[in-house]
Amino acid sequence: MHVPQTDDDFTPQIFQDNDPRSPETILPPQSNAPDEVVLKYVDYFTLSNYDTTENAEKSYRYFVDKLRKKKNKLVEDFIQNKGDYIVKVNYTEDVAIINEPDENGHFQALMFEDVDYENLIDKAFVPIKIVIE
């Protein structure tokens, strides 16, 4: 995330200003579509999270390294768009539906409407800045 937070920090990627796709171009799956297709569609509208600070930083560095291999300005864009801090968010069943973390600790949060995101941020947790050199 960014510190302080930006509007995009709690906006699913498909709705973020820096995402070239449009929600209107993402067609809902057919009712008989396989579960993987349905889950991929739902993922467009979720927030990406990690179960530990270690898993969050590892994933962040993975994406930075992957972008560095392309040898262009994408790393700076990634940092500017995604932020460079790890914060702790406390989800409850009345604000989101979350799935179980995968083998990399990644999980998705499908947020309900009218959630006060600022109240979800754990104020006792000191944000961790990820330093990229």
Side-chain angles (χ1 to χ4, degrees):
M1 292 186 85
H2 298 86
V3 172
Q5 281 77 37
T6 68
D7 289 340
D8 273 355
D9 286 330
F10 281 106
T11 303
Q13 187 171 347
I14 192 72
F15 297 111
Q16 291 179 5
D17 293 336
N18 59 27
D19 196 311
R21 299 169 299 177
S22 168
E24 292 78 28
T25 63
I26 309 295
L27 299 175
Q30 298 292 322
S31 59
N32 62 345
D35 288 347
E36 309 82 54
V37 173
V38 174
L39 290 173
K40 182 175 180 177
Y41 174 76
V42 172
D43 279 353
Y44 287 122
F45 304 96
T46 61
L47 299 176
S48 185
N49 298 269
Y50 290 88
D51 60 354
T52 66
T53 57
E54 294 80 13
N55 284 335
E57 185 168 354
K58 181 178 177 183
S59 176
Y60 189 92
R61 290 187 183 282
Y62 167 80
F63 285 110
V64 166
D65 290 343
K66 189 174 175 181
L67 291 171
R68 273 195 177 139
K69 291 177 183 172
K70 295 183 178 185
K71 299 184 183 187
N72 57 26
K73 193 179 175 242
L74 291 176
V75 171
E76 291 81 14
D77 290 346
F78 176 82
I79 293 170
Q80 182 178 13
N81 293 334
K82 300 301 179 193
D84 52 358
Y85 283 87
I86 298 171
V87 299
K88 183 177 179 188
V89 178
N90 296 318
Y91 294 108
T92 60
E93 61 186 33
D94 59 330
V95 299
I97 299 171
I98 61 171
N99 64 336
E100 291 295 319
D102 66 14
E103 63 277 357
N104 297 312
H106 180 258
F107 67 94
Q108 302 286 82
L110 181 61
M111 304 302 297
F112 297 151
E113 288 187 73
D114 302 322
V115 172
D116 183 358
Y117 297 104
E118 189 64 30
N119 285 336
L120 301 180
I121 298 172
D122 188 334
K123 305 295 190 269
F125 180 86
V126 177
I128 299 170
K129 182 168 178 62
I130 302 173
V131 178
I132 301 295
E133 298 168 4

